[in-house]
Amino acid sequence: MKIQDQINYVNNSLSVIKSKVKAVFGVNLNIDEINLSAPDRHNSFYSSYVIDAEQEVARVVDQLADQLQRQNIIKNVDKLDDWDDVKQFLDCVVDKLQKY
């Protein structure tokens, strides 16, 4: 999955999660979406973009996990080491919220 696809996946999942949490629990999650765009060329700017994207994904997922835990919507979150772990976490939260 390309980096921009990962960012879009996180943003889409975050949007679904935020709206579902507000509808079911009446809680506003205060998390900003990732707003990065890829540079035109694969050069040093692209390397910086990759690093920024990874940091932003980590920030958003950490904030999401923290806020959901504080509201007792989810339990402790295992360490998320890579993209597969992040994707699995987001999918699990969306699936759990869809059951309400």
Side-chain angles (χ1 to χ4, degrees):
M1 187 178 275
K2 292 182 180 181
I3 293 170
Q4 190 61 47
D5 293 336
Q6 291 176 350
I7 290 171
N8 291 339
Y9 192 89
V10 170
N11 284 340
N12 291 338
S13 297
L14 182 62
S15 177
V16 169
I17 291 167
K18 286 168 66 173
S19 65
K20 197 68 173 171
V21 166
K22 178 152 178 69
V24 173
F25 299 101
V27 174
N28 285 323
L29 298 178
N30 191 15
I31 305 167
D32 295 329
E33 292 184 348
I34 300 170
N35 188 14
L36 290 175
S37 56
D40 296 333
R41 297 191 174 106
H42 290 269
N43 53 22
S44 62
F45 292 114
Y46 188 80
S47 298
S48 176
Y49 163 73
V50 170
I51 292 168
D52 290 346
E54 290 173 351
Q55 290 174 343
E56 284 296 296
V57 167
R59 176 192 62 81
V60 165
V61 171
D62 286 346
Q63 285 181 344
L64 176 64
D66 181 56
Q67 289 185 33
L68 292 175
Q69 286 173 352
R70 279 192 275 131
Q71 297 297 328
N72 293 320
I73 297 171
I74 62 170
K75 295 182 178 160
N76 292 338
V77 177
D78 293 332
K79 185 176 179 184
L80 305 173
D81 292 323
D82 57 17
W83 170 249
D84 292 331
D85 291 345
V86 169
K87 185 177 182 307
Q88 183 179 7
F89 167 73
L90 292 171
D91 290 343
C92 180
V93 171
V94 169
D95 289 344
K96 179 177 181 173
L97 291 172
Q98 295 296 348
K99 293 178 183 176
Y100 285 99

